[in-house]
């Protein structure tokens, strides 16, 4: 299996070459040359597999430069009951007839990003060890991504993490999760500024090519193909749990921000998983809902990007969306390059109304949006009727899922975080604190390991240089 860029660059690469890279050299995103097709016999064979074995089967179709036994060992060590809380790894829970929650948030940081990031940590350690190289991961986080990256990379050989976050702006629980890590290879940098300042610092450091090369600076953001392909696995696992035979279809509802999670659903569907609808849910930041309703993709400026109570979906542009547009335009790299590198850069929007219609019909996408009031109502209703507490992002997914139900087709809502991460909104909806998993009791009181720095890229560079022995 070889990988190509969505912007038409002629190079083709193997999995391990793109594993440690971010964007393709032409600024595009990597995708496989074609999607492997899974036939009925294979699907039937996979139905009974434990999660780690299913992960191995699916990843094997995309990775031809890691020996099978090594890849099997990596998936086995990644997807364990010890790390994800249950043997099923992503257990399905029925809310009412035909509506399910698939639990993706029982990993170390209680958000679905662990599903991919835990694998990435093990793949990085493996590949860096094989090459005898090191990598310094520099990132910016307002919460979920940074903590998932730190818990995935802690203690890994050859990897250091330098994670910037806006000083004093994450929830006390999120701060405790990150800052209580005592591993020598994890560095928390609290920046005196807002999230945008953190992102600007990461950009400034990455743009200093000499520094970047000397200190082997890399990232773990959601455009990484390895993260995306890891997420394909739980679409299959959810399907097998909701159905009895492979002639049934299901739909998935996905709380979306950067289009990474639902893009994995698109890949699963392209592989032949019988998915009827991919239901994309946004919050008030409705860039993607607007696209699937109107065909116009219009990115937002920072003053039109709202801070909401489902903050992990507060995006102004969706970094993985280009992958879907590439398929929508029948893999015309030149056209994708024009749209993203020129038209979007110049006008902040492009119009694909004709193709978008095809997107709905051919690729099964539908969409909707959910507001703060909807979240509160959905959290309350779900708790009152089913005794189940859901987080704010999952509430956005469930609200939109209900608008897209079809008779006889199970709807699987992806649960992307646990309510404890967003306690303030739960209290607002239910008048009580969310339950806290036992292993997180009292984490706010643990000693914290964090360095406060001014919003100054030079100071961050000095810190990195001083900590790369
Ligand atoms: C990251 C995240 C999302 C959005 O996922 P994308 O892959 O960016 O679309 C939704 N919910 C939670 C809790 C998240 O952490």
């Amino acid at each position: 299996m070889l990988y190509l860029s969505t912007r038409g660059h002629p190079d083709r690469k193997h999995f391990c070459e793109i594993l440690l890279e971010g964007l393709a050299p032409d600024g595009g995103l990597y995708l496989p040359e074609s999607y492997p097709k899974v036939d009925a016999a294979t699907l039937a064979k996979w139905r009974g597999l434990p999660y780690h074995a299913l992960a191995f089967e699916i990843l094997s179709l995309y990775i031809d430069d890691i020996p099978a036994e090594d890849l099997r060992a990596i998936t086995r060590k990644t997807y364990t009951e010890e790390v994800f809380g249950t043997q099923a790894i992503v257990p399905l829970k029925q809310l009412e007839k035909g509506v399910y929650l698939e639990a993706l948030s029982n990993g170390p940081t209680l958000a679905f990003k662990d599903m991919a990031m835990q694998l990435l940590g093990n793949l990085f350690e493996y590949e860096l060890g094989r090459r005898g190289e090191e990598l310094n991961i520099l990132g910016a986080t307002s919460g979920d991504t940074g903590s998932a990256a730190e818990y995935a990379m802690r203690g890994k050989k050859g990897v250091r993490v330098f994670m910037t976050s806006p000083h004093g702006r994450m929830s006390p629980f999120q701060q405790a999760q990150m800052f209580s890590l005592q591993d020598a290879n994890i560095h928390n940098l609290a920046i005196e500024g807002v999230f945008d300042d953190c992102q600007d610092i990461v950009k400034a450091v990455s743009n200093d090519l000499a520094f970047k090369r000397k200190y082997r600076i890399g990232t773990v953001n959601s455009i990484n193909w390895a993260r995306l392909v890891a997420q394909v696995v739980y679409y299959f696992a959810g399907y097998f749990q909701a159905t009895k035979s492979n002639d049934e279809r299901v739909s998935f509802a996905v709380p979306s921000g950067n289009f990474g999670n639902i893009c994995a659903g698109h890949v699963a569907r392209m592989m032949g998983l019988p998915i009827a609808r991919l239901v994309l849910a946004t919050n008030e930041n409705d860039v993607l809902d607007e696209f699937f309703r109107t065909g116009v993709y219009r990115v937002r400026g920072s003053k039109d990007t709202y801070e909401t109570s489902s903050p992990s979906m507060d995006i102004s542009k969706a970094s993985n969306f280009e992958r879907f547009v590439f398929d929508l335009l029948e893999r015309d790299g030149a056209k994708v390059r024009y749209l993203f590198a020129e038209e979007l850069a110049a006008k902040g929007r492009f119009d694909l109304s004709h193709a978008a219609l095809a997107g709905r019909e051919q690729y099964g996408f539908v969409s909707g949006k959910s507001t703060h009031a909807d979240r509160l109502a959905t959290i309350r209703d779900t708790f009152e009727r089913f005794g189940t507490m859901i987080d704010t992002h999952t509430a956005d997914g469930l609200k939109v899922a209900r608008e897209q139900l079809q008779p006889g087709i199970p709807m699987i809502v992806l649960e992307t975080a646990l309510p404890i991460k967003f306690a303030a909104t739960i209290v607002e909806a239910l008048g009580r604190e969310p339950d806290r998993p036992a292993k997180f009791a009292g984490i706010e009181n643990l000693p914290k390991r964090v360095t406060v720095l001014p919003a100054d890229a030079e100071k961050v560079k000095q810190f990195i240089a001083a900590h790369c022995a």
Side-chain angles (χ1 to χ4, degrees):
M1 173 63 72
L2 291 170
Y3 291 86
L4 46 66
S5 163
T6 51
R7 296 195 185 173
H9 196 282
D11 281 1
R12 298 290 180 268
K13 294 191 173 169
H14 285 277
F15 179 84
C16 288
E17 293 174 276
I18 65 167
L19 173 65
L20 301 168
E21 255 181 69
L23 295 172
D26 59 358
L29 278 65
Y30 285 112
L31 272 179
E33 274 190 312
S34 63
Y35 298 111
K37 292 283 183 291
V38 176
D39 60 19
T42 309
L43 212 53
K45 203 176 75 194
W46 287 359
R47 184 171 273 280
L49 294 179
Y51 194 90
H52 66 83
L54 179 63
F56 168 75
E57 295 294 335
I58 293 171
L59 292 173
S60 303
L61 301 175
Y62 290 96
I63 303 177
D64 60 7
D65 51 353
I66 296 178
E69 278 325 296
D70 292 356
L71 186 60
R72 202 184 285 280
I74 289 169
T75 54
R76 195 185 284 275
K77 133 168 153 190
T78 301
Y79 296 110
T80 64
E81 180 171 356
E82 194 194 349
V83 174
F84 289 96
T86 61
Q87 217 171 12
I89 307 295
V90 291
L92 205 64
K93 172 174 181 168
Q94 180 165 335
L95 276 185
E96 60 199 284
K97 196 167 179 305
V99 181
Y100 300 85
L101 287 181
E102 184 175 357
L104 306 181
S105 42
N106 295 312
T109 73
L110 309 182
F112 90 98
K113 294 192 174 64
D114 290 328
M115 295 304 306
M117 208 72 92
Q118 287 288 314
L119 180 79
L120 198 69
N122 287 325
L123 285 171
F124 272 19
E125 184 174 56
Y126 174 83
E127 182 59 17
L128 290 168
R130 198 156 72 156
R131 297 183 187 189
E133 287 179 7
E134 290 191 349
L135 186 69
N136 292 304
I137 293 166
L138 174 64
T141 190
S142 53
D144 287 349
T145 307
S147 57
E150 291 189 353
Y151 279 76
M153 304 297 165
R154 62 187 295 202
K156 294 279 186 290
K157 287 189 280 297
V159 189
R160 288 183 204 87
V161 177
F162 298 89
M163 190 57 66
T164 62
S165 61
H167 183 40
R169 285 176 193 257
M170 290 191 297
S171 75
F173 185 84
Q174 285 176 317
Q175 293 187 40
Q177 261 189 327
M178 289 179 56
F179 300 167
S180 63
L181 287 179
Q182 299 298 325
D183 306 76
N185 71 328
I186 303 296
H187 301 281
N188 289 301
L189 305 178
I191 302 296
E192 292 170 326
V194 295
F195 176 60
D196 280 342
D197 296 315
C198 299
Q199 276 192 311
D200 288 345
I201 288 172
V202 171
K203 264 187 227 151
V205 175
S206 303
N207 287 339
D208 180 343
L209 294 181
F211 184 89
K212 189 178 173 195
R213 204 169 307 119
K214 177 165 183 205
Y215 290 102
R216 308 199 136 275
I217 303 293
T219 58
V220 286
N221 52 29
S222 78
I223 54 139
N224 186 299
W225 169 255
R227 276 181 66 179
L228 206 139
V229 74
Q231 294 170 354
V232 172
V233 180
Y234 54 69
Y235 283 88
F236 282 83
Y239 173 78
F240 291 137
Q241 292 179 80
T243 60
K244 292 206 167 57
S245 83
N246 298 335
D247 48 21
E248 294 172 60
R249 291 192 303 162
V250 304
S251 292
F252 285 93
V254 189
S256 294
N258 274 317
F259 204 79
N261 195 352
I262 202 164
C263 193
H266 167 67
V267 172
R269 196 172 184 275
M270 297 299 279
M271 291 172 72
L273 189 68
I275 296 176
R277 285 184 173 171
L278 286 165
V279 181
L280 181 146
T282 70
N283 63 20
E284 290 87 337
N285 296 295
D286 58 354
V287 186
L288 290 168
D289 176 42
E290 182 173 279
F291 175 79
F292 284 101
R293 277 185 301 104
T294 67
V296 175
Y297 182 61
R298 180 173 60 89
V299 303
R300 313 287 154 87
S302 50
K303 79 172 195 322
D304 296 314
T305 308
Y306 310 112
E307 267 185 47
T308 75
S309 48
S310 44
S312 298
M313 295 156 63
D314 292 348
I315 56 102
S316 50
K317 58 177 190 293
S319 51
N320 269 290
F321 184 56
E322 185 170 331
R323 288 194 160 107
F324 175 68
V325 171
F326 185 63
D327 284 344
L328 192 59
L329 298 176
E330 285 157 9
R331 303 203 138 203
D332 182 341
K335 189 145 186 210
V336 171
R337 197 200 58 75
Y338 172 76
L339 286 178
F340 282 87
E342 292 182 39
E343 187 148 340
L344 201 59
K347 298 191 201 145
R349 53 178 276 154
F350 58 70
D351 185 339
L352 286 178
S353 13
H354 289 292
L357 199 63
R360 280 201 288 271
E361 279 157 22
Q362 190 180 344
Y363 297 103
F365 275 85
V366 291
S367 72
K369 87 186 232 191
S370 163
T371 64
H372 181 70
D374 294 324
R375 283 189 278 287
L376 295 180
T378 306
I379 291 168
R380 212 174 284 137
D381 171 70
T382 307
F383 192 64
E384 282 169 5
R385 285 202 290 146
F386 313 115
T388 300
M389 211 185 268
I390 57 172
D391 100 289
T392 51
H393 306 75
T394 310
D396 289 330
L398 181 55
K399 186 262 179 185
V400 177
R402 286 221 166 88
E403 298 163 354
Q404 300 290 349
L405 291 174
Q406 291 168 288
I409 300 183
M411 175 67 75
I412 302 176
V413 180
L414 299 185
E415 177 202 68
T416 54
L418 290 196
I420 182 68
K421 295 198 89 166
F422 305 96
T425 309
I426 302 298
V427 171
E428 190 182 343
L430 302 177
R432 54 162 283 185
E433 291 285 332
D435 302 327
R436 175 179 292 223
K439 64 181 171 181
F440 293 96
I443 58 165
E444 288 91 338
N445 304 323
L446 294 175
K448 293 191 170 52
R449 190 162 175 273
V450 55
T451 305
V452 180
L453 290 178
D456 178 350
E458 287 308 316
K459 291 281 188 303
V460 171
K461 282 191 210 169
Q462 285 165 16
F463 185 94
I464 294 173
H467 291 83
C468 290

